Amino acid sequence: MELTDLKGIGPKKKDLLAKIDIHSVSDLYNYYPTSFEDRRKRGVIPNIREDVKYYFIWQIASRLYQNRTKNGFISYIYAIEPDTGEKIKIIYFNDRFTPTKFKNGETYKFFTKVKFENGTFEAINPITCDLDDENIGSIIPIYPLTKGLSQKNISSFIGEALKNYEEDEEIFGKTILDNFKFSSKYNNLLEIHKPSDIDK
């Protein structure tokens, strides 16, 4: 199976993967993260610390505002926290694309720090996703990247690669695994790329 047989990988993405020494399906699922980010801690305003990132659920409550400044481009939009009714100003610096995805009245997940500034709760350049997306609310592996590839790209590609795991990569047979209570390489790879606990 070729890399381009996997969902989401075309010729351009294949060339980008080659820059980080990924040339096969096996290379993909054997490409390990260098760190992890725990995005499971749910925050509710105002019961938060300004120096800690939390996972929030907010409902968009305004149109998008965009302005050019001497330092670049700024976009902002307002949201409401359904649990508390608190209003949040979500600000993006030099990112025109992300905030255009929001729809007024829709609810999204956010991973960010929140500070109280000039009488308003503010979130700067938060990571965001839809409510059913596990990119927020779980432990996220962080991979080395090259320009043109995102963490979400790599995670998605590895997930597709694991669906096509090659059984001959197993080091031990089932008898040895059972007798010594070892985990299979496949199960270890699942735990590496989709960890259930950051302390393991």
Side-chain angles (χ1 to χ4, degrees):
M1 173 176 279
E2 299 293 328
L3 282 173
T4 49
D5 292 326
L6 298 180
K7 183 180 177 181
I9 302 180
K12 289 183 179 179
K13 286 292 191 288
K14 180 183 177 182
D15 290 343
L16 291 173
L17 289 170
K19 291 184 178 181
I20 52 176
D21 206 27
I22 294 176
H23 305 281
S24 68
V25 174
S26 176
D27 288 342
L28 251 180
Y29 53 67
N30 284 298
Y31 191 69
Y32 297 155
T34 53
S35 62
F36 297 88
E37 185 170 57
D38 192 343
R39 299 179 183 173
R40 295 175 297 176
K41 189 172 185 178
R42 178 80 185 274
V44 177
I45 297 172
N47 303 320
I48 55 171
R49 289 172 44 185
E50 291 192 355
D51 61 336
V52 175
K53 286 185 176 181
Y54 296 90
Y55 147 38
F56 297 95
I57 292 180
W58 295 332
Q59 183 180 37
I60 302 302
S62 79
R63 70 176 182 88
L64 177 64
Y65 301 87
Q66 294 185 311
N67 296 302
R68 187 179 298 278
T69 70
K70 62 180 181 179
N71 296 318
F73 200 83
I74 183 172
S75 304
Y76 64 94
I77 197 165
Y78 291 94
I80 297 293
E81 186 169 75
D83 292 341
T84 62
E86 295 285 359
K87 187 176 183 180
I88 306 95
K89 184 178 183 180
I90 305 168
I91 303 169
Y92 286 91
F93 291 105
N94 297 318
D95 180 354
R96 299 189 190 191
F97 175 70
T98 301
T100 62
K101 297 186 295 183
F102 298 135
K103 295 180 180 178
N104 198 344
E106 294 294 318
T107 304
Y108 302 88
K109 292 179 183 177
F110 296 85
F111 183 70
T112 183
K113 294 178 182 178
V114 172
K115 64 179 180 178
F116 192 69
E117 191 80 15
N118 300 320
T120 304
F121 290 105
E122 292 183 352
I124 309 295
N125 285 75
I127 297 170
T128 185
C129 67
D130 293 333
L131 289 179
D132 59 354
D133 193 325
E134 294 182 357
N135 194 45
I136 297 174
S138 58
I139 300 168
I140 301 299
I142 306 298
Y143 300 93
L145 299 174
T146 190
K147 187 176 180 181
L149 285 175
S150 68
Q151 295 292 340
K152 198 167 184 178
N153 286 151
I154 294 292
S155 290
S156 175
F157 298 160
I158 289 173
E160 291 299 315
L162 282 168
K163 294 177 184 177
N164 297 277
Y165 176 72
E166 298 174 11
E167 293 289 343
D168 58 6
E169 286 202 28
E170 287 295 337
I171 300 169
F172 302 112
K174 188 176 185 304
T175 300
I176 292 178
L177 293 175
D178 290 344
N179 287 343
F180 291 92
K181 297 183 179 179
F182 291 161
S183 293
S184 66
K185 180 178 178 180
Y186 176 73
N187 286 334
N188 288 333
L189 286 171
L190 287 179
E191 187 60 33
I192 288 169
H193 296 300
K194 296 183 178 180
S196 57
D197 192 327
I198 204 164
D199 297 321
K200 284 188 177 181

